Amino acid sequence: MDTIVAKPTEQVIEKACEILRNGDIVAIPTETVYGLAGDASNADAIKKIFTAKGRPQDNPLIVHISNMDMLNKVVSQVSQDAMKLANAFWPGPLTIIMPKSKYICDETCAGLDSVGVRMPSNEIARKIIEISQIPFAAPSANISGRPSPTTAEDVFADMNGKISLIIDGGECSAGVESTVVSCLNDTPIILRPGVITKEQMELVLGHNVEIAKEVLNGVNKDSKVLSPGMKYKHYSPNADITIVKGTLDNFAKYVNGIKDNDVYIMCFDGENEKFVHPSISYGPIDQPQIQTHKLFSVLRQLDRLGAKVVYARCPDTNGVALAVYNRLIRAAGFKIIDV
């Protein structure tokens, strides 16, 4: 299959809508990462997504809508908390898990009775939904387990020959996937952190929002999960990554003592001169919004450099930084050293 990368002209957007209507899949930009979109009601289309990504079929997908009328099409019930969060953060990078409707095929939700839904703020994504009138499921447009794609070039590197069309909408603004919050119970639970934080949601709701323990820990391989990004090793380059907790001086002393020519360092801006090994920074230490924007592109850059072993400075675990930490510990397979 020839894979075309094209700018989002009216003709290209109509082509993407045609692909969706015909039960096929297309890569599109969103504000978070690039997504691999297919009709959320069409089991055959969803199977094509899993096949292209090499994704385990017990890993649920997120459904994307363009307006609130469409929400009532894809879910059977909207709680008061869910509606408050939707009104506050949609369009935007927040996925809300609610009871699914019969419209959504079982394959989209990995057989669960619930579905994660979000309304993207990216104009290209919303225009495709609006014109096609198809709520689409769209996991990240990469090979499963690899760093998520934030440019059309990233998508092409993983999906060339597997899909017919990639719409090039430029670099994604957020850089990490949406926050996922479950509103199935009385207390909302964050299942995947993102740029919309626990504190922001609590301010809107006026009560506590919990963070699932799985956010910072692994999940048993036999467990069912409500959200993508929880169960398997994710976001990982070819290199073996280890996160190192500790002060900059202790970190530098530790990694500089490693006698290995294939070592690369992931650090914060301004720290590069501390290391004898080659290093790449992924943002200022106190600006997690920049870290989220750069993280996946840096992980892919490590592959292009041929890195075999990577030691990473540990980000914070509060606010937006929790999203960075969550992605990095999964990329590292939960390998953490405290110095």
Side-chain angles (χ1 to χ4, degrees):
M1 181 187 297
D2 292 329
T3 300
I4 297 170
V5 180
K7 295 293 184 180
T9 64
E10 288 187 14
Q11 183 179 6
V12 168
I13 287 175
E14 182 50 51
K15 177 63 176 177
C17 294
E18 180 185 341
I19 288 171
L20 289 170
R21 293 188 198 105
N22 290 337
D24 218 326
I25 59 177
V26 59
I28 63 165
T30 79
E31 72 276 22
T32 56
V33 298
Y34 274 73
L36 195 58
D39 183 348
S41 69
N42 185 325
D44 290 335
I46 300 307
K47 288 174 184 176
K48 290 176 184 177
I49 292 175
F50 282 106
T51 298
K53 284 179 62 66
R55 181 185 177 103
Q57 295 194 16
D58 61 347
N59 204 4
L61 308 181
I62 291 168
V63 175
H64 296 63
I65 61 173
S66 62
N67 56 67
M68 296 304 287
D69 288 339
M70 203 171 278
L71 176 63
N72 295 323
K73 187 175 185 177
V74 301
V75 303
S76 61
Q77 182 181 345
V78 182
S79 69
Q80 187 176 25
D81 280 350
M83 185 56 69
K84 285 182 179 179
L85 292 173
N87 287 335
F89 299 111
W90 285 358
L94 178 68
T95 294
I96 306 172
I97 295 180
M98 295 170 269
K100 84 176 188 73
S101 73
K102 292 181 180 179
Y103 174 84
I104 302 297
C105 68
D106 288 341
E107 286 77 4
T108 294
C109 307
L112 299 169
D113 294 328
S114 59
V115 61
V117 184
R118 86 178 188 95
M119 188 187 296
S121 61
N122 181 280
E123 292 183 4
I124 300 165
R126 290 181 66 198
K127 194 170 184 180
I128 291 169
I129 304 168
E130 207 58 55
I131 293 173
S132 68
Q133 284 299 292
I134 292 175
F136 57 66
S140 54
N142 60 304
I143 295 171
S144 188
R146 298 269 298 133
S148 299
T150 55
T151 67
E153 292 79 11
D154 292 345
V155 180
F156 188 80
D158 282 10
M159 291 292 139
N160 183 24
K162 298 181 179 181
I163 59 176
S164 61
L165 177 62
I166 300 168
I167 297 181
D168 183 358
E171 191 173 10
C172 299
S173 56
V176 294
E177 300 84 354
S178 60
T179 304
V180 178
V181 61
S182 171
C183 286
L184 296 174
N185 300 308
D186 291 340
T187 302
I189 302 174
I190 294 173
L191 303 179
R192 182 178 72 187
V195 297
I196 293 175
T197 65
K198 164 184 165 72
E199 292 79 13
Q200 288 174 302
M201 286 188 272
E202 288 177 338
L203 194 61
V204 167
L205 297 176
H207 61 75
N208 184 50
V209 174
E210 295 180 0
I211 297 177
K213 61 180 177 59
E214 291 86 356
V215 165
L216 299 177
N217 300 283
V219 177
N220 186 291
K221 65 183 179 66
D222 297 321
S223 299
K224 278 203 167 190
V225 294
L226 297 176
S227 167
M230 293 181 73
K231 189 170 185 180
Y232 299 96
K233 186 178 181 182
H234 272 62
Y235 322 116
S236 186
N238 294 326
D240 182 58
I241 297 180
T242 300
I243 298 172
V244 181
K245 291 183 176 181
T247 65
L248 174 58
D249 286 344
N250 285 349
F251 178 92
K253 182 179 179 181
Y254 178 81
V255 297
N256 288 342
I258 297 171
K259 309 299 181 186
D260 190 328
N261 294 330
D262 293 323
V263 168
Y264 276 77
I265 306 301
M266 278 181 67
C267 62
F268 299 115
D269 290 1
E271 298 178 349
N272 305 71
E273 293 183 359
K274 287 272 190 179
F275 312 114
V276 299
H277 301 289
S279 60
I280 302 175
S281 62
Y282 67 102
I285 192 170
D286 58 349
Q287 296 186 42
Q289 289 86 352
I290 296 178
Q291 295 169 25
T292 63
H293 186 73
K294 293 182 65 173
L295 179 64
F296 289 143
S297 62
V298 166
L299 291 176
R300 285 180 174 267
Q301 187 180 351
L302 288 166
D303 274 348
R304 291 192 292 271
L305 291 169
K308 299 292 191 297
V309 178
V310 175
Y311 291 91
R313 286 270 278 142
C314 187
D316 199 356
T317 57
N318 296 306
V320 174
L322 180 62
V324 183
Y325 183 76
N326 170 263
R327 303 318 189 270
L328 202 51
I329 60 171
R330 279 161 170 74
F334 298 91
K335 292 192 297 295
I336 301 174
I337 295 172
D338 194 333
V339 295

